[in-house]
C-alpha cells in the first residue's frame, strides 16, 4: 500500500532543496563581494595605521621633549563625548 502523503512530501523536499541551493548560491556571491571590498579597503587600512602610529610617535616625542603642554595632539576635533577623555582612554 502506498503512502498517500509520500508524493506531497517528495514535492516539499524538492522545493526545500531547490531553495537551499539558491540560498547557498546567494551566500557564495555575497562572500565574493565581501572579499572584493576587503581587498579594496586593504590600502586604506594600512594608511590609517601609518597615520595613527605617526600621530602617536609625534605625541610621545613632544611629551619627552617637554613641548607638549596639555592633552593629546588632536588632528581634528574629538568626537562628541570624548573631549574629556585622555589619549589612552580613546584607544
Amino acid at each position: 500500500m502506498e503512502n498517500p502523503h509520500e508524493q506531497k512530501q517528495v514535492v516539499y523536499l524538492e522545493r526545500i532543496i531547490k531553495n537551499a541551493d539558491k540560498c547557498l548560491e546567494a551566500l557564495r556571491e555575497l562572500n565574493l563581494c565581501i572579499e572584493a571590498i576587503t581587498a579594496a579597503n586593504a590600502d586604506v587600512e594600512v594608511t590609517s595605521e601609518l597615520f595613527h602610529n605617526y600621530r602617536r610617535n609625534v605625541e610621545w616625542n613632544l611629551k619627552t621633549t617637554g613641548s607638549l603642554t596639555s592633552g593629546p595632539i588632536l588632528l581634528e576635533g574629538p568626537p562628541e563625548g570624548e573631549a574629556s577623555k585622555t589619549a589612552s582612554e580613546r584607544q
Side-chain angles (χ1 to χ4, degrees):
M1 181 172 207
E2 199 171 301
N3 184 351
H5 300 294
E6 185 177 359
Q7 198 172 24
K8 279 187 174 181
Q9 290 173 348
V10 168
V11 170
Y12 291 150
L13 285 173
E14 287 174 355
R15 289 170 78 185
I16 289 171
I17 291 169
K18 183 179 177 183
N19 287 334
D21 286 341
K22 286 181 181 179
C23 183
L24 181 61
E25 183 60 33
L27 287 173
R28 286 182 179 145
E29 187 176 336
L30 177 64
N31 280 340
L32 289 175
C33 291
I34 290 173
E35 286 175 2
I37 290 169
T38 301
N41 288 339
D43 291 338
V44 174
E45 183 179 354
V46 169
T47 304
S48 172
E49 289 175 14
L50 288 172
F51 275 102
H52 173 74
N53 290 336
Y54 177 77
R55 184 199 58 81
R56 194 180 70 216
N57 289 338
V58 167
E59 185 176 333
W60 182 83
N61 285 326
L62 289 174
K63 281 181 183 177
T64 57
T65 60
S67 300
L68 183 63
T69 56
S70 64
I73 299 172
L74 298 176
L75 301 177
E76 53 187 58
E80 279 189 37
E82 294 204 7
S84 62
K85 291 183 180 178
T86 64
S88 60
E89 290 174 330
R90 278 193 286 269
Q91 296 173 354

